[in-house]
């Protein structure tokens, strides 16, 4: 039979449209379904048998639902004991962070593909001496490459460059500086971390006595700054140098600490002359002796003459062989300005071989020395090292050097500033905004506490999640926890609304809380599971680009997991406790669900 249907046109005029069977339109009759009474796809789908997997999942989910509902009813009876236990777990999670069991780092360690050996030779070293040291360094990294290739059948080094006269840590230039840059296999292809390769390079290189410092490190500095950045300030350079070496020796005893150096380094060797008491009586002054030494070693102009249109200057000085014979410096002839007699230098002056500092740094008009260093995040933690340094070393150090002030810069300073400053302020503003919105919604100042109680429950998961994953708490971790403040309250909002609705229907607070938890079980669990399952692959990602996001994903995944497990129990118990205390009044309130 043909069917008709009313159709409204653009001008509101109705008409009748006739629908013909498909066979009448030239289609074969075999195209009809046998069940012509059920043309809708959903009706057809409902008649299909349910798969065994879905049946089993539904059965197990309902069993879990009934168990959780029974646990909620029991926990409401023992609500004070249960809530006290949850508070105890929260305090335990905080203590794990405070005690250092779960450590704090400013930023996670991200694997790179570039490794450098920064060479600092004594000031005055020739380019040939620097090249000899570079040959040792390149030979040692080639040995590491050969061993890696034998073990993993692929070369480790993709390219190597040597730059002379350059060292980013030296703050100076000259032939005594050099940098060896090595391009490695990408982090996804390497079988060893960059810190392991750096350690192998140091072991193969060994001690290089002719070098002042050789730092093998990644050229990238963390956004929070250097791991070790300590500034010592005082008036006496000798005392500052001694204090710097004393602190460096102590820091070198911590595992994972490497590339320690400071910026107060000895300069070129020099002779210091002091006139003997009888020199002035002979008619010699320090100025006269200095002028003759300057003329001998740097030269003095004795004649200026012109030939045709060109002017020539005649400069007289010692030849190269005489200037390099420092053993004869004691007997350098000083000509008496009056008599013209030659007097050996050693007879009129005390000669001492000294070595002053090549660079003197001043901060706020006070002399300063800065200590730099790196820390392997896989071996040790920056905050833990400096906490132990303050507890075991600094007290005695300040007693030995009362005139020297110590300041911690870099990661130790910048990390807490961000954590305790901007991030704490941002989270506080977010919590105030959440409380204000919930207060307007519930028309109450006490009921938003029920919803926001889920936020510290998420922190329990954040701490234990990092403990399970073996990660440090970092800035991305805290950022993930701050974002959780707006995520985890969603489950509590409707749970509280369901409780209020059942109370308005005439139930007691105990019955209303238990029933609301049972009704919201499926929605709370499924919404949380979708978020957790979606972020779980990121937790096990190995690419270097994802390393900085793994702590953030850990905070969200484990934070949602803990809040989901506890919100179904804590909110009903807390609601009944607030009702016991008279904070929440049982009265008819407008609800979102009405």
């Amino acid at each position: 039979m043909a069917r008709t249907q009313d159709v409204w046109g653009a001008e509101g005029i109705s008409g009748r449209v006739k629908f013909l069977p498909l066979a009448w339109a030239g289609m074969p009759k075999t195209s009809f379904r046998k069940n012509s009474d059920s043309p809708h796809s959903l009706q057809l789908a409902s008649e299909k048998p349910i798969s065994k997997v879905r049946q089993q999942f539904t059965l197990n989910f309902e069993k879990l639902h009934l168990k959780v509902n029974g646990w909620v009813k029991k926990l409401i009876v023992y609500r004070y004991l249960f809530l006290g236990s949850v508070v105890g777990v929260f305090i335990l999670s905080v203590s794990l962070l405070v005690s250092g069991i779960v450590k704090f780092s400013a930023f996670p360690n991200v694997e790179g593909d570039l490794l450098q050996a920064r060479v600092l030779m004594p000031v005055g070293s020739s380019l040939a001496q620097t090249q000899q040291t570079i040959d040792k360094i390149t030979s040692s990294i080639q040995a590491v490459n050969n061993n890696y290739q034998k073990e993993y059948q692929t070369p480790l080094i993709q390219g190597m460059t040597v730059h002379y006269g350059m060292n980013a840590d030296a703050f100076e230039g000259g032939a005594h500086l050099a940098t060896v840059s090595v391009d490695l296999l990408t982090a996804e292809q390497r079988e060893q971390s960059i810190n392991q390769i750096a350690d192998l390079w140091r072991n193969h290189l060994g001690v290089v006595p002719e070098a002042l410092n050789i730092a093998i490190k990644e050229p990238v500095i963390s956004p929070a700054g250097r791991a070790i950045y300590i500034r010592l300030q005082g008036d006496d350079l000798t005392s500052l140098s001694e204090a710097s070496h004393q602190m460096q020796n102590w820091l070198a005893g911590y595992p994972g600490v490497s590339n320690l150096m400071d910026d107060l380094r000895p300069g070129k060797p020099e002779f210091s002359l002091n006139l003997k008491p009888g020199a002035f009586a002979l008619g010699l002054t320090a100025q006269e002796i200095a002028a003759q030494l300057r003329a001998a070693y740097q030269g003095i102009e004795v004649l200026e003459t012109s030939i045709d249109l060109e002017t020539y200057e005649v400069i007289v000085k010692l030849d190269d062989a005489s200037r390099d014979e420092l053993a004869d410096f004691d007997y350098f002839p000083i000509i008496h300005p009056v008599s013209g007699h030659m007097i050996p230098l050693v007879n009129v002056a005390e000669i001492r071989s000294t070595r002053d500092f090549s660079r003197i740094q001043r901060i706020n008009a006070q002399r300063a020395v800065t200590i730099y260093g790196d820390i392997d995040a896989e071996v040790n933690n920056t905050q833990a090292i400096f906490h132990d340094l303050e507890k075991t070393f600094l007290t005695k150090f300040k007693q030995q050097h009362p005139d020297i002030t110590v300041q911690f810069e870099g990661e130790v300073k910048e990390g807490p500033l961000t954590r305790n400053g901007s991030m704490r302020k941002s989270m506080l503003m977010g919590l105030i905004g959440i409380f204000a919105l919930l207060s307007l919604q519930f028309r109450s100042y006490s009921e938003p506490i029920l919803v926001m109680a889920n936020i510290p429950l998420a922190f329990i998961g954040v701490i234990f999640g990092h403990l399970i994953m073996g990660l440090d708490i970092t800035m991305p971790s805290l950022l993930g926890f701050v974002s959780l403040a707006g995520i985890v309250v969603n489950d509590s909002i409707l749970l509280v609304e369901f409780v209020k609705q059942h109370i308005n229907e005439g139930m007691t607070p105990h019955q209303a809380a238990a029933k609301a938890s049972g009704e919201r079980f499926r929605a709370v669990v499924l919404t949380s599971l979708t978020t957790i399952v979606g972020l779980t692959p990121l937790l096990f990602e190995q690419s270097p680009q994802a390393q900085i996001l793994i702590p953030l994903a850990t905070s969200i995944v484990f934070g949602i997991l803990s809040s989901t497990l506890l919100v179904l129990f804590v909110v009903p118990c807390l609601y009944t406790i607030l009702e016991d205390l008279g904070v929440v009044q049982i009265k008819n309130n407008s609800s979102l669900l009405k």
Side-chain angles (χ1 to χ4, degrees):
M1 296 293 294
R3 294 184 292 111
T4 61
Q5 181 176 338
D6 291 335
V7 178
W8 289 84
E11 298 179 357
I13 301 174
S14 62
R16 306 287 289 182
V17 176
K18 180 177 292 186
F19 294 92
L20 299 177
L22 293 177
W24 295 0
M27 297 295 293
K29 294 184 178 181
T30 55
S31 63
F32 284 107
R33 290 182 179 272
K34 292 183 179 180
N35 189 3
S36 60
D37 295 333
S38 301
H40 299 291
S41 60
L42 292 178
Q43 292 178 353
L44 293 174
S46 63
E47 295 179 1
K48 294 181 180 180
I50 301 175
S51 63
K52 294 183 179 180
V53 175
R54 182 179 174 184
Q55 292 179 8
Q56 190 65 31
F57 175 81
T58 303
L59 179 62
N60 294 331
F61 194 86
E62 288 302 323
K63 288 182 180 179
L64 179 62
H65 186 183
L66 294 175
K67 287 183 180 180
V68 170
N69 198 23
W71 293 340
V72 171
K73 293 178 181 179
K74 292 180 181 179
L75 292 176
I76 289 177
V77 177
Y78 302 100
R79 51 190 176 276
Y80 292 98
L81 176 61
F82 173 69
L83 197 61
S85 302
V86 173
V87 172
V89 174
F90 175 75
I91 295 174
L92 175 62
S93 63
V94 174
S95 66
L96 293 177
L97 182 60
V98 174
S99 63
I101 297 177
V102 177
K103 299 179 176 61
F104 175 82
S105 298
F107 283 90
N109 186 30
V110 180
E111 280 284 303
D113 304 328
L114 182 63
L115 198 59
Q116 287 185 345
R118 298 177 178 178
V119 182
L120 176 63
M121 302 289 288
V123 178
S125 299
S126 64
L127 181 60
Q129 292 173 321
T130 305
Q131 289 175 337
Q132 291 177 359
T133 304
I134 292 298
D135 291 340
K136 295 181 181 180
I137 293 174
T138 54
S139 299
S140 60
I141 189 60
Q142 287 293 351
V144 175
N145 179 59
N146 294 335
N147 293 338
Y148 186 93
Q149 189 168 2
K150 289 179 181 178
E151 185 173 358
Y152 301 108
Q153 286 74 47
T154 183
L156 175 64
I157 298 177
Q158 304 299 300
M160 185 163 52
T161 308
V162 179
H163 296 275
Y164 290 96
M166 187 184 73
N167 186 329
D169 296 331
F171 307 106
E172 58 190 50
H176 62 292
L177 304 176
T179 300
V180 180
S181 300
V182 180
D183 293 313
L184 305 174
L185 279 174
T186 60
E188 296 91 339
Q189 297 174 323
R190 284 201 312 266
E191 300 294 337
Q192 295 174 335
S193 68
I194 197 166
N195 290 323
Q196 291 175 331
I197 296 171
D199 290 337
L200 291 173
W201 193 354
R202 294 189 192 99
N203 294 335
H204 279 79
L205 180 60
V207 179
V208 183
E210 60 270 18
L212 198 62
N213 181 270
I214 298 177
I216 299 177
K217 59 194 299 184
E218 282 190 88
V220 179
I221 299 178
S222 168
R226 295 176 182 267
I228 297 178
Y229 192 146
I230 304 174
R231 181 175 295 157
L232 308 179
Q233 290 184 257
D235 297 325
D236 185 24
L237 288 176
T238 303
S239 179
L240 282 173
S241 180
E242 293 175 356
S244 173
H245 286 90
Q246 183 180 353
M247 184 168 288
Q248 289 182 59
N249 291 333
W250 183 272
L251 289 170
Y254 291 103
V257 175
S258 61
N259 302 326
L260 289 168
M261 64 178 297
D262 62 28
D263 58 356
L264 189 63
R265 295 181 290 273
K268 295 181 178 180
E270 59 187 19
F271 289 125
S272 177
L273 306 180
N274 293 322
L275 289 183
K276 291 184 177 181
F280 187 75
L282 293 176
L284 293 174
T285 62
Q287 183 178 3
E288 180 66 30
I289 295 176
Q292 294 191 31
L293 289 172
R294 185 184 305 110
Y297 285 93
Q298 295 184 353
I300 185 173
E301 182 181 341
V302 296
L303 179 65
E304 181 177 335
T305 184
S306 299
I307 300 176
D308 295 331
L309 297 178
E310 296 183 358
T311 301
Y312 294 91
E313 295 177 351
V314 179
I315 298 175
V316 179
K317 61 180 180 180
L318 290 177
D319 60 356
D320 294 339
S322 299
R323 281 187 298 170
D324 293 339
E325 291 293 335
L326 295 180
D328 298 334
F329 184 73
D330 293 351
Y331 302 98
F332 180 86
I334 300 297
I335 301 174
H336 195 280
V338 178
S339 64
H341 291 93
M342 291 187 294
I343 305 171
L345 180 61
V346 70
N347 291 345
V348 295
E350 294 180 357
I351 304 173
R352 292 184 295 108
S353 178
T354 60
R355 195 164 192 161
D356 212 342
F357 297 104
S358 63
R359 177 177 179 268
I360 300 175
Q361 182 185 19
R362 287 179 174 85
I363 298 176
N364 296 328
Q366 191 176 26
R367 291 171 174 176
V369 56
T370 306
I371 301 172
Y372 305 103
D374 299 319
I375 298 176
D376 187 353
E378 297 178 357
V379 178
N380 217 325
N381 178 266
T382 303
Q383 297 291 335
I385 288 177
F386 277 86
H387 178 73
D388 185 75
L389 183 72
E390 291 180 332
K391 184 173 61 176
T392 60
F393 176 76
L394 278 187
T395 303
K396 184 178 179 181
F397 178 82
K398 291 179 179 179
Q399 292 175 354
Q400 295 176 349
H401 306 280
D403 298 331
I404 295 177
T405 59
V406 182
Q407 294 180 358
F408 294 151
E409 304 289 337
E411 182 179 329
V412 178
K413 179 181 179 180
E414 297 299 327
L417 285 178
T418 305
R419 178 184 58 183
N420 300 329
S422 59
M423 194 165 292
R424 178 181 293 180
K425 185 185 298 183
S426 300
M427 185 171 185
L428 182 60
M429 292 174 60
L431 293 177
I432 293 174
I434 293 173
F435 183 82
L437 292 174
L438 293 178
S439 299
L440 293 174
Q441 174 61 46
F442 293 134
R443 294 181 175 86
S444 169
Y445 293 112
S446 56
E447 290 180 353
I449 299 176
L450 294 168
V451 177
M452 298 180 69
N454 204 14
I455 296 175
L457 302 184
F459 188 71
I460 297 175
V462 171
I463 297 297
F464 282 97
H466 283 76
L467 182 64
I468 293 172
M469 296 293 294
L471 300 174
D472 292 345
I473 297 290
T474 59
M475 292 300 175
S477 305
L478 298 180
L479 182 62
F481 173 65
V482 172
S483 64
L484 277 175
I487 298 175
V488 299
V489 297
N490 297 334
D491 295 334
S492 303
I493 293 175
L494 287 180
L495 188 59
V496 172
E497 284 289 344
F498 270 70
V499 174
K500 294 170 62 178
Q501 183 188 37
H502 292 319
I503 289 177
N504 292 335
E505 292 173 354
M507 293 185 181
T508 64
H510 293 197
Q511 295 172 340
K515 186 173 182 180
S517 180
E519 290 175 343
R520 295 298 302 164
F521 174 79
R522 179 181 291 271
V524 169
V525 171
L526 292 182
T527 53
S528 299
L529 280 179
T530 54
T531 305
I532 292 172
V533 172
L535 287 174
T536 298
L538 183 58
L539 297 180
F540 305 100
E541 180 61 44
Q542 299 298 320
S543 63
Q545 294 81 2
Q547 298 307 306
I548 198 169
L549 297 176
I550 290 178
L552 187 146
T554 301
S555 295
I556 295 178
V557 168
F558 286 92
I560 291 178
L561 181 62
S562 65
S563 63
T564 301
L565 294 176
L566 294 176
V567 69
L568 296 170
F569 307 116
V570 171
V571 172
C573 294
L574 185 58
Y575 194 97
T576 53
I577 289 175
L578 293 180
E579 193 275 332
D580 292 341
L581 299 176
V583 177
V584 176
Q585 302 294 331
I586 302 177
K587 59 182 180 180
N588 290 331
N589 294 326
S590 61
S591 174
L592 278 173
L593 302 179
K594 276 193 167 185

